[in-house]
Amino acid sequence: MQKTVLVTGGTGYIGSHTVVKLIEAGYKNVLFEDFSNSKPKVLERIEQITGVRPAFVQGDVRSLEDLKKVFDNWKIDSVIHFAGKKAVGESEREPLLYFSVNVEGSIVLLNTMKDYGVKEFVFSSSATVYGDPGYDEFDESTPLAPINNYGLSKWMVEEILRATYKADPTWSIALLRYFNPVGAHPSGLIGEDPNGIPNNLMPFIAQVAVGKREKLMVFGNDYPTRDGTGCRDYIHVQDLAEGHIKALEALNSKPQLLTVNLGTGNNTSVLELVKAFEKASGRKINYEIAPRRAGDKAAYWTNPSLALKLLGWKTKFGIDEMCADTWKWQQLNPNGYPD
Ligand code: UD1
């Protein structure tokens, strides 16, 4: 029987790529979105790629009334919860906003699910829940010690989900801790479309390549790494989206609480990513060395073995594909999605 998945934040960066995979895997989707950090155009692009226009409700995850429009009209089998605020700097300036949208929003959503008897839940967590444990290869037993409000909000929701499962083990819950998602759909029709100046490295590099920004600031070249610049575990958004399909399949096989890191196990420095992007785009990426950014760790990546064991999932794409697909998206959409 065809399952129906509610995808909150379904037109966002990771949400939209996951919706495409869900449609391809035979799921029916209902998207729930407030468009605070995404565009309605994404719905059209999803239809262009898959031939299917997903059902869609506009609303706020903190509003029971808005959520009821979904649960009263569709028989939902599972929920993938992407909707949330995700900028670390902003979370330090606006803590209440982050705790309201990310934590309160999750509670309202989970309560609504409970009322309607829906107990399958996939949560977008983040490697940010780990903070800095004093070593670089994180696994799922690495202590949770977030160092910013964004990370704290993800950790709080994780705790709420652990408590929910403990009180009622008929829930089936996946906590997916993402490393650094980059890349785009190979069609170039959907991709990352940050508001304003990008906070993250890959979209910044892509905007330099396309001529939107003059140069990249490399935040520190005196870290104890191969070339002195920060190293991260970049994961292709297509692999990440696939990880959600595998998590849903696992949750469906038996009620459980599943916690996995989603990353490649590799790491790439800032300057290595610049080189790879130059190769993929044929463009020169101008950069300048700048001071370290506060709160940045020199290097971290995941040990990817638990995801393979529990989900039968591992990444397929490397840095070259991540850059090539980002470049295709950026070239076709130099100013992001049209309004
Ligand atoms: C950031 C967030 C993290 C979030 C992740 C999503 C912070 C402190 N952390 O991680 O919570 O889950 O994005 O992908 O913001 N860099 C530059 N110049 C730039 C931008 C970045 O040199 O203009 C460097 C950084 O110092 C870092 C690397 O590039 O070494 C990656 O940075 P970024 O893409 O922002 O990701 P994270 O900081 O790892």
Side-chain angles (χ1 to χ4, degrees), residues 13 86-89 125-129 147-148 150-151 178-182 192 197-205 215-220 223 229-234 268-270 273 288 290-300:
Y13 172 44
K86 61 169 188 179
V88 172
S125 190
S126 166
T128 314
V129 295
I147 54 164
N148 53 58
Y150 164 68
Y178 312 152
F179 280 66
N180 288 57
V182 297
E192 187 172 13
I197 301 170
N199 293 311
N200 297 118
L201 180 61
M202 183 67 113
F204 204 105
I205 290 179
K215 60 177 179 239
L216 169 74
M217 294 305 210
V218 174
F219 298 146
Y223 284 109
T229 65
C231 293
R232 295 290 181 274
D233 186 343
Y234 297 97
T268 305
S269 77
V270 175
L273 193 63
E288 187 180 308
R292 291 181 178 192
R293 180 171 69 178
D296 276 351
K297 185 171 154 53
Y300 64 92

Side-chain angles (χ1 to χ4, degrees), residues 16-330:
S16 57
H17 290 80
T18 303
V19 167
V20 168
K21 290 262 184 211
L22 284 166
I23 293 170
E24 288 168 353
Y27 290 90
K28 196 175 149 185
N29 294 280
V30 182
L31 275 53
F32 185 85
E33 179 61 65
D34 70 356
F35 294 118
S36 57
N37 192 23
S38 69
K39 303 267 175 64
K41 190 80 184 172
V42 176
L43 295 166
E44 244 172 71
R45 297 286 177 87
I46 290 172
E47 187 177 5
Q48 251 177 288
I49 295 170
T50 64
V52 175
R53 179 111 180 168
F56 157 76
V57 170
Q58 183 159 0
D60 186 318
V61 274
R62 292 165 295 181
S63 162
L64 175 59
E65 203 187 319
D66 289 352
L67 287 169
K68 272 174 170 282
K69 290 180 200 154
V70 174
F71 287 89
D72 283 340
N73 287 300
W74 286 272
K75 203 207 144 295
I76 301 295
D77 295 295
S78 333
V79 176
I80 307 184
H81 183 36
F82 291 108
K85 310 283 298 171
K86 61 169 188 179
V88 172
E90 186 188 41
S91 79
E92 294 299 288
R93 295 189 298 275
E94 300 276 356
L96 289 174
L97 176 68
Y98 273 67
F99 296 128
S100 173
V101 175
N102 293 6
V103 184
E104 185 189 345
S106 298
I107 294 172
V108 176
L109 175 60
L110 289 161
N111 254 322
T112 312
M113 289 176 64
K114 190 172 166 229
D115 287 349
Y116 285 81
V118 182
K119 293 185 168 178
E120 222 170 81
F121 190 75
V122 179
F123 179 58
S124 289
S125 190
S126 166
T128 314
V129 295
Y130 294 121
D132 187 354
Y135 50 85
D136 299 338
E137 182 172 281
F138 297 1
D139 65 24
E140 292 75 1
S141 66
T142 295
L144 304 182
I147 54 164
N148 53 58
N149 293 327
Y150 164 68
L152 265 175
S153 74
K154 292 289 177 188
W155 170 77
M156 287 177 188
V157 177
E158 284 203 3
E159 290 296 332
I160 289 165
L161 290 168
R162 282 187 277 274
T164 300
Y165 179 76
K166 193 173 164 209
D168 177 1
T170 66
W171 279 81
S172 205
I173 298 173
L175 308 180
L176 306 182
R177 296 177 179 154
Y178 312 152
F179 280 66
N180 288 57
V182 297
H185 190 270
S187 65
L189 287 168
I190 55 174
E192 187 172 13
D193 180 16
N195 277 334
I197 301 170
N199 293 311
N200 297 118
L201 180 61
M202 183 67 113
F204 204 105
I205 290 179
Q207 291 193 4
V208 174
V210 85
K212 258 191 99 171
R213 314 224 167 253
E214 194 199 326
K215 60 177 179 239
L216 169 74
M217 294 305 210
V218 174
F219 298 146
N221 68 347
D222 56 354
Y223 284 109
T225 59
R226 291 185 289 282
D227 59 19
T229 65
C231 293
R232 295 290 181 274
D233 186 343
Y234 297 97
I235 170 173
H236 198 302
V237 67
Q238 289 286 92
D239 278 328
L240 189 59
E242 186 68 32
H244 290 73
I245 310 294
K246 295 287 189 192
L248 263 191
E249 285 169 8
L251 294 187
N252 206 239
S253 69
K254 65 167 198 288
Q256 57 188 303
L257 176 74
L258 188 122
T259 305
V260 290
N261 290 348
L262 296 183
T264 64
N266 301 317
N267 67 93
T268 305
S269 77
V270 175
L271 293 180
E272 286 165 352
L273 193 63
V274 166
K275 283 267 161 324
F277 206 95
E278 286 183 334
K279 194 174 112 198
S281 65
R283 300 276 176 100
K284 175 104 190 67
I285 311 294
N286 292 319
Y287 69 84
E288 187 180 308
I289 305 298
R292 291 181 178 192
R293 180 171 69 178
D296 276 351
K297 185 171 154 53
Y300 64 92
W301 57 88
T302 187
N303 175 332
S305 54
L306 192 67
L308 181 61
K309 190 172 152 212
L310 297 184
L311 305 180
W313 170 92
K314 64 176 170 40
T315 58
K316 297 192 184 99
F317 301 113
I319 282 294
D320 291 340
E321 285 121 333
M322 298 180 212
C323 291
D325 291 333
T326 303
W327 178 233
K328 181 152 191 199
W329 152 256
Q330 191 69 51

